[in-house]
Amino acid sequence: MRISARADYAVRAALQLAAAQDAGPLKAEAIAVDQDISHKFLEGILGDMRKGGLVQSQRGGNGGYWLARPAETISVADVIRCVDGPLVSVRGERPPDLSYSGPAESLLTLWIALRASVRGVLGVSLAELAAAELPAGIVALADDPEAWTNP
């Protein structure tokens, strides 16, 4: 699976907003500086997140961006879907829309299992991630030394 720069930046920006949830709106410039993201690129990402209902914005001196709902209710998967589309696709199609025959028939089950696994990992909320309180199952996956090596 490949996580695009756009998705990485979106999640990082969302985490900045989650960490400042009670502090009022954050300026895009401040997020860009804190996360070392191009301001212009970030503005486009935040625009997509606003259109997707994840963030709200206000112009003006007291303006900026904030999460549209509590960080506990927004998952990393929500953010990635908002800026990049479906988490798992095969040739641009969602797995349930595929069909295979012969020896490849069980491939559909594999793609569905992959999607379920990705959803499980990326289902972590922004609140959990911002507080560094990852679920034990995720920590266990990352604690496996094999997870850190490239085959």
Side-chain angles (χ1 to χ4, degrees), residues 11-139:
V11 172
R12 290 164 47 195
L15 288 169
Q16 283 285 140
L17 295 171
Q21 198 163 343
D22 298 325
L26 288 182
K27 303 263 186 226
E29 300 87 16
I31 298 169
V33 168
D34 287 349
Q35 291 299 319
D36 194 25
I37 301 170
S38 159
H39 177 251
K40 184 175 175 111
F41 193 41
L42 181 60
E43 283 285 357
I45 291 168
L46 289 168
D48 286 347
M49 291 172 67
R50 187 179 47 76
K51 289 175 195 163
L54 295 182
V55 301
Q56 292 180 324
S57 65
Q58 177 179 320
R59 293 183 183 184
N62 294 326
Y65 293 88
W66 63 93
L67 293 178
R69 52 185 211 255
E72 295 81 13
T73 68
I74 301 173
S75 70
V76 173
D78 293 333
V79 176
I80 293 172
R81 280 189 204 102
C82 188
V83 299
D84 272 356
L87 297 176
V88 174
S89 65
V90 178
R91 303 182 323 266
E93 295 185 52
R94 293 173 188 229
D97 298 333
L98 301 169
S99 65
Y100 297 98
S101 60
E105 206 168 331
S106 62
L107 190 54
L108 180 58
T109 303
L110 183 73
W111 296 149
I112 296 293
L114 172 65
R115 184 172 74 163
S117 295
V118 168
R119 282 179 176 171
V121 171
L122 297 181
V124 171
S125 76
L126 294 178
E128 290 171 307
L129 198 53
E133 295 175 356
L134 294 170
I138 303 240
V139 173

